[in-house]
Amino acid sequence: MSESINVTLKVWRQNGPGEAGRFETYPLENVSTHASFLEMLDILNEKLINTGKMPVAFDSDCREGICGSCGLMIDGQAHGPDRETATCQLHMRRFSDGDTITIEPWRARSFPILKDLVVDRSAFDRIIEAGGYNSINAGNAPDANAILIPKIDAEAAMDAAACIGCGACVAACKNASALLFVSAKVMHFARLPQGKPERETRVARMVAKMDEEGFGSCTNTTECEAACPKGISFSNIVSLRRESMRAQCSGRSTR
Amino acid sequence: MKGKPFFSSVVQKLVIGITGLLLCGFVAAHLAGNLLLYSTSDRYAAFNKYATTLHDMTLLPAIEIGLLVLFVVHIGLTLRMQFQSQKARPEGYAVQKSKQGRGALAARNVMHLSGIVVLAFVLLHLADLRFGLRFNEAGLAPAQTVLQVLRDPISAMFYTVGSLLLGYHLFHGFQSSFQSLGFGGERLTRIVKIVGILFSVAIAVGFASLPIWVTLLRK
């Protein structure tokens, strides 16, 4: 493999929310294959700044795959071609010399574009505010084994808790549904004793908020699971359906 | 809460799933009846007896209304869902690629298209055989009427394509319904997937075999 490649970038540029955007093409030469995708964008931006142009706005923070800021649609795939990989963990060795790479922001009505590749994902925050928390007094950290949790539940809750809220599920879903995100948060709590007292109201409120925010409806295509950088299982969505029905049937969902 | 919709998107999908599964039951029963046509002995006596008994049932109008309701609810809610989803992404991607192998034409992505073709097929089928709009020769035995319809090239073609696409619709629809109902767990999911594939293939092959059989062998 050669140590550096030449690529052509087709990047979505948009000055502000609600404005018309367009693709701009930037040739980029001698990109190290060791560079991460975001470092490659940094190189592009340095070049743009040096020639007096506006750099491309994109979100990033930890650059180690745990913060969930860096969501980009790369060649039509959320976070690029690799499975269980956030954009920041994608490297240029994954591309070939002469490739044209199309970079777009997440596209959903509920994720309005702020600038270029940056979208406003506060709809997720509002869904969390609607019920993605515990408000009971869970006390101090309990003694080990004072609260018994079956291994299978602890593991499943932990897997669901791995969701970093990046929005790739919404971006990849043909319906722009947020159900994988919501189900991860709901099932993270519902499986643990501390989350159980509020489980009925939690699922009802979070689903209602999700609908209110204008996300689409899940049609079980499992595209979200394939796009998720944290490998959140689609089975959380199926569990959410049971959780939702359980809440409806208990009559406690509106308390 | 004020202005809250009567049912959530999760409940909406649940109802689409339940009506879909009930329609699967109808389709399976319908196919069982159709296959009697392969018993050609005694001038299709088996099929004729089945058809006459069915048509003479007192409860038939109630069943027909029930089926109509299932169709209307299944299609109506799906249209509503489709409309909501289109609104959820007003501006699409320039490039979009699945991370799951098999691309845009996978059954799960063309449910609305396969559904529309199946609906057109059902409407033609009703016009042909329920209301006799295109063929209404009096005094024919049920089997003769069916054969007459199946000999018609337009019907034969539409019935074959419609049946195959119905199978394709169920390829995703069957297992998806169970997921919408909350049937989870690795083992159960695997069983539902396998049963769904077998069911959709059986439905497609079973229904499509009749017009092909009539066209090729029963001229």
Side-chain angles (χ1 to χ4, degrees), chain B residues 22-23 59-73:
Chain B
L22 290 172
L23 286 170
L59 271 178
L60 192 62
I63 295 174
E64 285 181 327
I65 290 169
L67 278 173
L68 182 68
V69 170
L70 287 183
F71 269 103
V72 168
V73 171

Side-chain angles (χ1 to χ4, degrees), chain A residues 98-117:
Chain A
D99 275 0
T100 298
I101 307 169
T102 308
I103 310 170
E104 293 178 77
W106 290 167
R107 292 198 188 275
R109 183 169 65 120
S110 314
F111 287 167
I113 296 173
L114 295 177
K115 189 173 167 52
D116 297 338
L117 304 172

Side-chain angles (χ1 to χ4, degrees), chain B:
Chain B
M1 257 186 275
K2 242 190 168 175
K4 216 177 99 178
F6 185 63
F7 47 79
S8 71
S9 60
V10 172
V11 173
Q12 174 168 271
K13 195 75 189 17
L14 172 77
V15 177
I16 293 174
I18 292 174
T19 50
L21 280 181
L22 290 172
L23 286 170
C24 278
F26 159 68
V27 159
H30 189 322
L31 178 62
N34 283 12
L35 292 180
L36 289 175
L37 207 59
Y38 281 121
S39 158
T40 53
S41 63
D42 207 8
R43 295 172 148 223
Y44 304 99
F47 184 84
N48 283 335
K49 181 161 180 256
Y50 151 75
T52 327
T53 319
L54 184 69
H55 294 160
D56 290 346
M57 264 170 62
T58 358
L59 271 178
L60 192 62
I63 295 174
E64 285 181 327
I65 290 169
L67 278 173
L68 182 68
V69 170
L70 287 183
F71 269 103
V72 168
V73 171
H74 188 74
I75 296 168
L77 286 184
T78 307
L79 284 176
R80 187 167 178 270
M81 183 177 77
Q82 188 79 18
F83 176 69
Q84 288 166 336
S85 295
Q86 257 155 21
K87 244 180 36 183
R89 177 168 297 135
E91 194 172 358
Y93 294 100
V95 189
Q96 199 171 11
K97 243 183 347 216
S98 171
K99 277 199 190 185
Q100 302 188 82
R102 288 198 309 129
L105 279 179
R108 58 176 183 270
N109 291 331
V110 290
M111 291 302 278
H112 49 311
L113 298 178
S114 54
I116 288 168
V117 178
V118 169
L119 179 63
F121 155 54
V122 169
L123 292 178
L124 176 72
H125 181 45
L126 286 176
D128 277 357
L129 283 159
R130 174 64 182 81
F131 301 108
L133 294 180
R134 300 202 308 142
F135 308 91
N136 52 0
E137 216 174 305
L140 283 182
Q144 296 306 321
T145 316
V146 170
L147 288 174
Q148 186 190 30
V149 168
L150 291 182
R151 276 190 203 108
D152 175 66
I154 296 176
S155 291
M157 198 187 71
F158 235 94
Y159 284 26
T160 313
V161 173
S163 305
L164 294 177
L165 278 175
L166 173 60
Y168 203 50
H169 193 73
L170 298 183
F171 194 81
H172 174 75
F174 188 90
Q175 57 147 312
S176 173
S177 300
F178 280 94
Q179 285 166 342
S180 300
L181 261 66
F183 279 64
E186 256 178 65
R187 208 176 120 87
L188 190 57
T189 307
R190 224 173 23 238
I191 294 172
V192 166
K193 270 186 187 164
I194 294 169
V195 172
I197 290 169
L198 293 178
F199 183 75
S200 53
V201 170
I203 292 294
V205 172
F207 277 114
S209 71
L210 280 162
I212 295 173
W213 174 67
V214 171
T215 310
L216 296 181
L217 300 171
R218 297 264 139 190
K219 273 282 177 200

